Amino acid sequence: MFLLVQRFGELMRKLWNPRNFKAHVSPHEMLQAVVLCSKKNFQITKQGDGVDFLSWFLNALHSALGGTKKKKKTIVTDVFQGSMRIFTKKLPHPDLPAEEKAQLLQNSEYQEMMVESTFMYLTLDLPTAPLYKDEKEQLIIPQVPLFSILAKFNGATEKEYKTYKENFLKRFQLTKLPPYLIFCIKRFTKNNFFVEKNPTIVNFPITNVDLREYLSEEVQAAHTNTTYDLIANIVHDGKPSEGSYRIHVLCLQPTWYPQPTLPSTPRCPQMAWCPPAPPRCP
């Protein structure tokens, strides 16, 4: 697994070498290491899921550098790892009589429990996309502010999670913010028959996103800086089973690359970075 660290380090040194002879850098050796270390779960000739790769890549680098899940840290966890509290409450079966539900809720099994957990990125849930067309026979693409879907982590918002046998209510509260924070907007829903993509547009600022209110009160004092600026963004274009990924990166000038073209109306089906004017998703 340490081969992955070596190849990634070599690629970064080539990218940032001011005396590099060539104007371009090939990531081929790095990609070969990914294929080998992932046991061909990620391949050069086949497109994979961007979130699955990011999760595997960060954890693989951490493990290869000698890190562990609980105690030993590495530069990966120092940069990207935060922590949260997860509050879980088991729910009685919805078909039970009201009296029986009330009795079950008195049992310790159905009381709220709290666990501390770490994260490398935060998964944000989108509201359900509309199923029907509007009066003009066009599908409505809804829009949602970033802070609406961030409410998942305010410590008060509850959401029901269903398993094969049981249902749970969960709420989340952040207890530590990492220096670099990764958001993953959950757009793809998988079932036994197909993969569906939620086209909801997320409107968000690209600077000074303050997350202080999502921290528990006792840890707010330990965070002198809780604001973030957007520096990179990965989007998926096209159908769920096909399509392609692209990235926008903020350079040091500051300038975004690649340069976008702004359509007259917002039409992108995924979260994308927003230029200062107009303050909407291109």
Side-chain angles (χ1 to χ4, degrees), residues 57-78:
F57 186 62
L58 291 178
N59 284 287
L61 287 178
H62 173 64
S63 177
L65 289 169
T68 58
K69 288 185 177 181
K70 293 184 178 181
K71 292 184 179 180
K72 193 170 181 180
K73 297 182 178 181
T74 64
I75 187 173
V76 178
T77 53
D78 289 341

Side-chain angles (χ1 to χ4, degrees), residues 185-223:
I185 296 181
K186 190 177 180 181
R187 293 197 175 274
F188 299 101
T189 304
K190 301 179 183 179
N191 56 33
N192 295 330
F193 303 101
F194 59 89
V195 179
E196 187 178 8
K197 182 177 178 179
N198 190 322
T200 301
I201 296 173
V202 179
N203 294 311
F204 60 97
I206 61 172
T207 58
N208 296 322
V209 176
D210 194 352
L211 301 183
R212 180 170 294 275
E213 64 180 284
Y214 304 100
L215 292 168
S216 56
E217 293 183 0
E218 67 271 19
V219 301
Q220 286 185 4
H223 288 72

Side-chain angles (χ1 to χ4, degrees), residues 93-123:
H93 195 279
D95 296 334
L96 293 176
E99 294 182 358
E100 190 172 346
K101 286 183 182 179
Q103 291 179 350
L104 288 175
L105 290 174
Q106 302 301 319
N107 298 339
S108 58
E109 182 184 0
Y110 291 85
Q111 302 304 308
E112 187 175 67
M113 297 181 294
M114 187 271 289
V115 295
E116 295 276 352
S117 178
T118 58
F119 64 85
M120 288 289 193
Y121 60 87
L122 294 177
T123 302

Side-chain angles (χ1 to χ4, degrees), residues 210-239:
D210 194 352
L211 301 183
R212 180 170 294 275
E213 64 180 284
Y214 304 100
L215 292 168
S216 56
E217 293 183 0
E218 67 271 19
V219 301
Q220 286 185 4
H223 288 72
T224 56
N225 188 9
T226 57
T227 59
Y228 290 86
D229 294 341
L230 186 66
I231 59 173
N233 179 52
I234 302 172
V235 296
H236 179 270
D237 299 311
K239 298 179 181 179

Side-chain angles (χ1 to χ4, degrees), residues 24 32 38 55 76 81 153 178 182 198 206 217 219 245 257:
H24 65 276
Q32 286 181 321
S38 68
S55 179
V76 178
Q81 190 178 80
F153 299 100
I182 302 173
N198 190 322
I206 61 172
E217 293 183 0
V219 301
Y245 288 93
Y257 292 96

